[in-house]
């Protein structure tokens, strides 16, 4: 995790997704769960538009990913307000959007747990 350039101390959390082909999709939604106190999910980098509460659309260059294809982007969050949370465990979750709704064969592969490793003093 690094400081987002020109981002007023905000943090850039790199994310790489790889589409396994187990759920059809028109788009992906990324969500940051259990963020530390004071942290807010601001946007993705590259940007995909406004964030809705704790999640945003993944800014794919193409409409869909092919099975096995990877795409990297970042989630930009504000730093935690409590220094004790600088190493807190957070969940980054990815879900698909498809109409009509089709169940994901293996939803367990949509969540990654990572530990923040940040300096809350910048």
């Amino acid at each position: 995790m690094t400081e987002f350039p020109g981002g007023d101390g905000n943090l850039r959390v790199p994310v790489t997704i790889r589409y396994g082909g187990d759920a059809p999709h028109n788009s992906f939604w990324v969500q940051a769960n259990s963020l530390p106190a004071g942290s807010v999910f601001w946007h993705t980098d590259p940007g995909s538009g406004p964030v809705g509460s704790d999640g945003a659309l993944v800014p794919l260059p193409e409409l869909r990913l092919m099975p096995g294809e990877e795409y990297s982007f970042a989630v930009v969050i504000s730093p935690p307000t409590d220094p004790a949370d600088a190493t807190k465990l957070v969940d980054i979750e990815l879900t698909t959007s498809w109409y009509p709704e089709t169940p994901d064969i293996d939803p367990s592969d949509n969540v990654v747990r990572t530990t923040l490793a940040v300096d809350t003093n910048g």
Side-chain angles (χ1 to χ4, degrees):
M1 171 171 324
T2 58
E3 189 170 337
F4 186 70
D8 299 323
N10 290 323
L11 305 169
R12 186 179 188 280
V13 182
V15 177
T16 297
I17 59 173
R18 181 160 50 82
Y19 179 56
D22 61 340
H25 67 285
N26 280 329
S27 62
F28 290 98
W29 180 262
V30 63
Q31 188 167 327
N33 300 317
S34 65
L35 288 175
S39 289
V40 176
F41 184 164
W42 285 115
H43 58 87
T44 59
D45 177 38
S48 63
V51 170
S53 65
D54 57 358
L57 285 174
V58 174
L60 293 174
E62 301 290 330
L63 183 60
R64 296 186 184 129
L65 294 178
M66 299 302 292
E69 188 175 4
E70 292 184 352
Y71 179 70
S72 295
F73 63 101
V75 170
V76 178
I77 64 171
S78 59
T81 52
D82 184 347
D85 285 342
T87 57
K88 181 173 172 143
L89 188 66
V90 298
D91 294 332
I92 307 273
E93 182 176 6
L94 188 76
T95 55
T96 59
S97 174
W98 179 257
Y99 183 82
E101 287 196 30
T102 304
D104 187 338
I105 295 169
D106 183 12
S108 69
D109 64 1
N110 297 345
V111 177
V112 64
R113 299 191 90 183
T114 188
T115 301
L116 293 180
V118 300
D119 176 2
T120 56
N121 296 324

